[in-house]
């Protein structure tokens, strides 16, 4: 049986109930005292694998952990992650409605990001108009569909995204045994970014194999390295800053597949200046979101 990255992370997340969440009756550890020196915005998060039957119940789990670690806001996508494979237009709408409910539950802490499936171009464009242009969402992605992001089907959506000045978070992975059907790599992101130089694209997970991923996206100035989802390995953030510049590195956790704490630690423990940490932990995503936040009358 072949296991892909999504299957493995789902299993890990389910095994610990909720990544980064304390068990019932357990007191918070003193070591988790929040660091208030940085404004932390999490650019990559999900409700998937968290306890709770409703979006409101699940976002409350994340809000408690955000408070413990000093995370100011998060960008939430994909609903419950129930319909990742070949999602129908109806299923796309269900997942987006879940995200909207979670964001409305805590509008000062949570922003929504659009779930789409480029297999259904017209439906995805309609969802963009409903949720981003006319609704509360401020970003697109994580796009994690069974069609590569360099496929021409994605072009109409990217053009719509550019018109609203919102960033795209695109899932990428570099599997040594071969990617799943339609799973994008950083190479695919670079090709898409080259066709759309005005798009701002966040390369989700930097391909998992971050040493290779950083090199792949290095010359694509409109592509950003997302540090979410991998182990907190020494050297990741340092290399990304050295090769790309701190202004092109973005913190995200990939909660609930990973914990807030392990992913924040990548940045706080990195041997880089505090000014670089400020950009990575929140300054860069706030800069990318500033046009749409201003247009919607929201604060950054």
């Amino acid at each position: 049986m072949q296991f892909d990255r999504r299957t493995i992370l789902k299993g890990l997340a389910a095994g610990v109930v909720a990544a980064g969440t304390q068990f019932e009756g357990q007191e918070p550890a003193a070591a988790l005292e929040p660091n208030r020196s940085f404004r932390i915005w999490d650019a990559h998060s999900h409700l998937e694998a968290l306890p709770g039957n409703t979006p409101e119940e699940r976002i409350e789990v994340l809000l408690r952990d955000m408070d413990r670690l000093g995370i100011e806001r998060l960008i939430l996508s994909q609903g419950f992650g129930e319909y990742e494979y070949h999602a129908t237009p109806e299923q796309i709408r269900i997942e987006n409605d879940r995200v909207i409910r979670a964001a409305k539950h805590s509008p000062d802490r949570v922003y929504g990001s659009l779930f789409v499936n480029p297999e259904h171009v017209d439906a995805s464009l309609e969802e963009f108009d409903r949720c981003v242009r006319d609704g509360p969402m401020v970003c697109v992605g994580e796009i994690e569909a069974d069609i590569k992001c360099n496929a021409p089907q994605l072009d109409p959506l990217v053009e719509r995204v550019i018109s609203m000045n919102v960033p795209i978070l695109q899932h990428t992975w570099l599997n040594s045994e071969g990617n799943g059907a339609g799973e994008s790599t950083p190479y695919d992101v670079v090709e898409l970014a080259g066709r759309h130089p005005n798009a701002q694209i966040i390369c989700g997970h930097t391909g998992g194999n971050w040493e290779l991923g950083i090199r792949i996206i290095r010359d694509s100035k409109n592509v950003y390295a997302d540090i979410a989802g991998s182990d907190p390995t020494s050297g990741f953030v340092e290399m990304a800053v050295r090769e790309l510049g701190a202004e092109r590195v973005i913190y995200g956790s990939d909660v609930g597949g990973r914990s807030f704490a392990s992913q924040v630690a990548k940045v706080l423990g990195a041997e880089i200046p505090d000014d670089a940490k400020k950009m990575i932990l929140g300054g860069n995503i706030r800069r990318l979101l500033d046009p749409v936040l201003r247009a919607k009358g929201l604060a950054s």
Side-chain angles (χ1 to χ4, degrees):
M1 179 181 296
Q2 182 178 3
F3 293 94
D4 63 13
R5 171 254 168 200
R6 288 179 283 191
T7 303
I8 293 170
L9 280 186
K10 283 182 180 180
L12 288 171
V16 297
V17 182
T21 302
Q22 69 189 66
F23 294 103
E24 185 175 355
Q26 178 182 338
E27 291 297 323
L32 291 177
E33 183 67 25
N35 187 323
R36 302 298 182 185
S37 301
F38 304 101
R39 293 184 63 194
I40 305 176
W41 283 36
D42 191 318
H44 187 156
S45 69
H46 311 291
L47 294 174
E48 183 180 346
L50 297 170
N53 296 318
T54 68
E56 293 81 5
E57 290 173 349
R58 295 193 185 195
I59 199 63
E60 280 293 332
V61 174
L62 294 185
L63 289 169
R64 288 196 296 271
D65 289 337
M66 289 167 64
D67 289 341
R68 295 173 68 209
L69 291 168
I71 297 172
E72 184 178 322
R73 298 189 190 179
L74 79 164
I75 317 301
L76 184 69
S77 70
Q78 290 184 320
F80 288 0
E82 185 178 359
Y83 302 118
E84 286 182 4
Y85 296 95
H86 303 289
T88 67
E90 180 184 5
Q91 290 166 343
I92 293 169
R93 190 180 185 96
I94 288 171
E95 293 286 50
N96 285 326
D97 283 344
R98 286 167 170 162
V99 169
I100 289 173
R101 284 177 58 181
K104 286 184 175 179
H105 181 69
S106 187
D108 59 333
R109 305 291 301 281
V110 180
Y111 290 145
S113 188
L114 186 71
F115 173 58
V116 295
N117 180 359
E119 290 179 314
H120 302 287
V121 177
D122 290 341
S124 294
L125 291 173
E126 289 174 5
E127 279 296 273
F128 180 90
D129 291 347
R130 180 178 78 95
C131 299
V132 181
R133 188 193 68 186
D134 303 326
M137 290 188 175
V138 300
C139 190
V140 173
E142 183 184 12
I143 300 179
E144 189 173 4
D146 292 314
I147 181 171
K148 290 187 176 182
C149 68
N150 61 347
Q153 291 96 312
L154 210 70
D155 287 343
L157 179 62
V158 176
E159 291 166 4
R160 190 73 56 92
V161 165
I162 292 171
S163 73
M164 283 283 296
N165 291 316
V166 299
I168 299 172
L169 172 61
Q170 171 63 52
H171 168 82
T172 65
W173 206 250
L174 290 161
N175 192 324
S176 61
E177 297 183 357
N179 280 19
E183 187 171 27
S184 297
T185 71
Y187 291 110
D188 301 319
V189 167
V190 166
E191 183 178 333
L192 179 68
R195 291 207 306 268
H196 301 279
N198 292 323
Q200 303 299 316
I201 306 174
I202 303 170
C203 184
H205 316 291
T206 316
N209 181 340
W210 50 265
E211 290 180 287
L212 181 55
I214 289 168
R215 293 185 176 96
I216 293 169
I217 69 172
R218 180 167 48 195
D219 294 332
S220 298
K221 302 303 182 183
N222 59 329
V223 177
Y224 299 78
D226 163 42
I227 68 170
S230 58
D231 292 333
T233 309
S234 176
F236 183 174
V237 173
E238 289 90 339
M239 179 180 177
V241 170
R242 183 177 68 250
E243 299 295 330
L244 308 176
E247 67 278 1
R248 286 179 58 198
V249 186
I250 291 178
Y251 158 74
S253 64
D254 202 21
V255 68
R258 292 284 180 171
S259 67
F260 288 128
S262 68
Q263 305 303 297
V264 170
K266 291 179 182 177
V267 185
L268 295 182
E271 295 183 1
I272 57 175
D274 279 356
D275 285 348
K277 292 179 182 179
K278 288 177 181 178
M279 284 191 278
I280 295 166
L281 287 170
N284 291 334
I285 191 62
R286 286 194 297 273
R287 185 183 74 250
L288 291 183
L289 291 175
D290 186 65
V292 67
L293 294 179
R294 286 180 180 272
K296 292 177 179 292
L298 299 172
S300 62

